[in-house]
Amino acid sequence: MMKSLLRASALAVALSLSGCGSSSAPVDDGAGGAGAKWFDYERAEEFAGMKQMPEQKVEMSDGVKLSVKVALPTDAEGNVANFPLPVILTQTGYNKSLATVIPAFPTFNSFFVQRGYAHVAVDVRGTGVSEGDWEAFSAREQLDYKEIMDWVAVQPWSNGKVGTWGPSFMGITQIFTAAHQHPAHKTVFAIVPMGDAYRDIVFAGGQVNAGFIPLWMLLVTGLGVLPAEPNPDALLISLDHALDAVLKFQVPTIVNALTGGQDRNYDSEFWRTRSPIEVADRVKVPTFIVGGLNDIFQRGEPMLYEVIKRNTTTKLLVGPWQHLGASTGAGLPVDGVPDLNHIALMWFDKYLKGLNTGAERVPNVTQFLSGEGHYSIASDWPHPRARAERWYLRGDRGLTREQPAADEGSNVTSPVVSLLNICSQSSSQWTAGVLGVIPLPCLQGNNNINELPLIGAVTYTTEPMEQDYYINGPIQADLWISSLVTDAGIAARITSVAPNGTSTELTNGILTASLRAIDESRSRKLNGVMIQPWHPYTEASRQMLKPGEPVLASVEIFPTSTVIKRGHSLRIAISTADFPHGLPPVGDLLNQLLGVMTIRSDAEHPSSVVVPVVPVAAIEAPR
């Protein structure tokens, strides 16, 4: 036993001293900028296995005890390493012991552990078998993240260097943890983390996300009641948590939002507290962010990268994924981009073990290009060569670079409320990919059914492209609209139309027209043109419509990276609803009923869409 552990320890020390963890590290190229490329990184296992230690309870400063488990490496005889190791920390709301009853949901990553790491998993308060009440990402929960770090740093199996890892909930907790700037916290590997709770997911466009929010709350509650721990009191604890979560947090939050309660319906301190983007500027440790083109957090992932990169080495990888696929990096390795475990190992070996892995020199930004079907790399996001280009909606349903003529008008009406568009890629996306497992073309991206007159959509389409057209970044639809009533919902989908007429959804955005006010100081511009509006979403900013009077509403359409291939067309499809992505609170819904929306496109009211265009020559292969 002792010989096996000593050999493993000696190997770890030798690797650290030699700095030869990478088999083919790149030439120093300016830390991920121009000329950077992906490369293979591999390191053999140091240990034969992994063992989960018994559950422990760690007391927080308010007396609440959190449930913690530690996984440590073992030798071939099953003996646990008895010397300090670098630590990977995962803090979850999804029941850390779930793998004991559902093996498909592993909490501990044996790939890391067998390469010389301790892995710690924690049930955040009020979830799993931790004590307390669950109030997702509350200020008290965020303080727990720091206090857990205090505890981890001084344990006998810890060498005081801690990295954080995990997807979704576990990615969000990492940004909040890093904001505490704990001296033991050395690096972050956040997979599909949220940025802005209100704008990214809960109230995008000022409308309740009726697809994801109930599903997510049910997930946390449902997983928490599974009898994963052998402790006979565990089930009672879990049932108590479930009841408290439903009655004290979930139901009040949902009811408040749907009925128009000001502290939840509008952007407020409640949502700011729960938005990692608000503290991202305090993250000072090297950070790797993984996102998805159609992830539920597709808006916030690149924005987190933008903020954090100002202070530290930061990388962004965006794949062709919805939430479930992004959580595992489905389809990798491909195009020279390694799988997530190997990328994370390279990252942790650099920033926790001090090995010369070249992690800091991989490309700063790696994105999948839909349409092209491959990954591309860049030195930054948005792409440094992106420029805003405006396309005008025309009376003949065309989409051109020329403004409408003085005598041209297009007054197209659309039903105000429609639930018929539920079969869409948007529905799949905003249920975290759950609906996407149903093999229906409309859930896989085919948008033709949602462009039928029955649905109420109005489409505007370019002529077939004469050459490939590369779009990379957020999109803004500047729409002149009017309504017969005092409010309207606006849903915009950007699609690529093939020569055979198939319309494939790329990305989407929604907006309640009365919440159209813009804070220009917080909006994004490219070459002087606004391309990502920032709406305050406050009661004070609300501007009701006057029936029949046109107003300009700028719809934020979430970022994408795509190539509209030669012979294909760019399309914007506009309707008044995108259920379940958006469901107006009751008051807003009543203001929209019985009206029709008119989209204007004339010289006085030139509706348009602004896209970020990058030269096709800028597309660069990852390897």
Side-chain angles (χ1 to χ4, degrees), residues 50-56 67-73 87-92 95-100 102-114 117-123 157 165-167 170 229 341:
M50 178 186 80
K51 182 176 181 179
Q52 294 184 34
M53 309 307 290
E55 180 207 12
Q56 302 178 65
S67 177
V68 178
K69 269 192 171 182
V70 181
L72 296 174
V87 180
I88 295 172
L89 171 64
T90 299
Q91 299 179 89
T92 181
N95 193 338
K96 67 182 182 319
S97 301
L98 188 60
T100 61
I102 306 179
F105 285 80
T107 299
F108 296 104
N109 193 319
S110 60
F111 183 83
F112 302 147
V113 175
Q114 289 178 251
Y117 291 94
H119 195 167
V120 178
V122 184
D123 289 330
W157 35 259
W165 174 87
M170 296 83 88
E229 295 287 353
N341 272 350

Side-chain angles (χ1 to χ4, degrees), residues 324-591:
L324 295 179
S327 296
T328 61
L332 294 178
V334 70
D335 291 339
V337 182
D339 66 70
L340 289 191
N341 272 350
H342 282 84
I343 297 173
L345 179 68
M346 174 178 60
W347 199 252
F348 290 137
D349 278 0
K350 167 69 178 181
Y351 296 110
L352 294 182
K353 285 181 175 280
L355 304 183
N356 180 23
T357 69
E360 76 282 11
R361 298 193 299 274
V362 301
N364 290 335
V365 176
T366 305
Q367 290 177 289
F368 187 82
L369 305 186
S370 64
E372 191 74 6
H374 294 284
Y375 283 87
S376 179
I377 59 174
S379 61
D380 205 0
W381 190 94
H383 198 288
R385 297 182 64 183
R387 293 294 179 267
E389 187 165 273
R390 190 179 296 275
W391 294 82
Y392 291 94
L393 284 58
R394 305 300 295 266
D396 61 359
R397 305 286 184 89
L399 194 60
T400 74
R401 293 186 180 92
E402 297 178 1
Q403 251 183 278
D407 60 351
E408 179 183 350
S410 175
N411 299 322
V412 183
T413 59
S414 176
V416 168
V417 178
S418 171
L419 303 184
L420 299 179
N421 57 11
I422 192 169
C423 193
S424 66
Q425 178 174 283
S426 173
S427 294
S428 176
Q429 173 179 356
W430 299 107
T431 53
V434 173
L435 284 182
V437 302
I438 303 173
L440 292 174
C442 54
L443 291 172
Q444 313 304 319
N446 186 318
N447 196 54
N448 290 81
I449 191 173
N450 296 297
E451 297 170 4
L452 296 172
L454 175 67
I455 304 298
V458 182
T459 62
Y460 299 85
T461 311
T462 67
E463 291 294 322
M465 295 292 178
E466 295 181 357
Q467 59 186 14
D468 289 357
Y469 191 71
Y470 178 19
I471 299 172
N472 194 323
I475 296 171
Q476 178 170 319
D478 291 324
L479 305 177
W480 284 94
I481 63 104
S482 61
S483 176
L484 296 181
V485 291
T486 58
D487 209 349
I490 309 171
R493 303 177 197 268
I494 299 297
T495 76
S496 175
V497 185
N500 66 2
T502 300
S503 179
T504 302
E505 182 176 343
L506 303 173
T507 184
N508 57 77
I510 55 177
L511 177 68
T512 295
S514 63
L515 293 172
R516 65 190 180 278
I518 292 174
D519 182 342
E520 290 208 23
S521 68
R522 301 188 69 172
S523 299
R524 184 192 304 277
K525 295 183 179 181
L526 282 179
N527 50 283
V529 180
M530 189 186 303
I531 200 164
Q532 188 176 30
W534 196 92
H535 301 286
Y537 296 120
T538 60
E539 184 178 25
S541 71
R542 189 182 285 275
Q543 302 169 335
M544 303 306 295
L545 304 181
K546 295 180 180 178
E549 183 175 309
V551 298
L552 178 62
S554 295
V555 182
E556 179 185 3
I557 300 175
F558 288 179
T560 189
S561 58
T562 189
V563 176
I564 309 294
K565 300 298 288 183
R566 178 183 177 183
H568 293 233
S569 299
L570 173 67
R571 173 176 290 172
I572 181 169
I574 304 167
S575 62
T576 58
D578 187 19
F579 182 84
H581 179 198
L583 178 64
V586 173
D588 292 357
L589 190 60
L590 292 175
N591 290 330

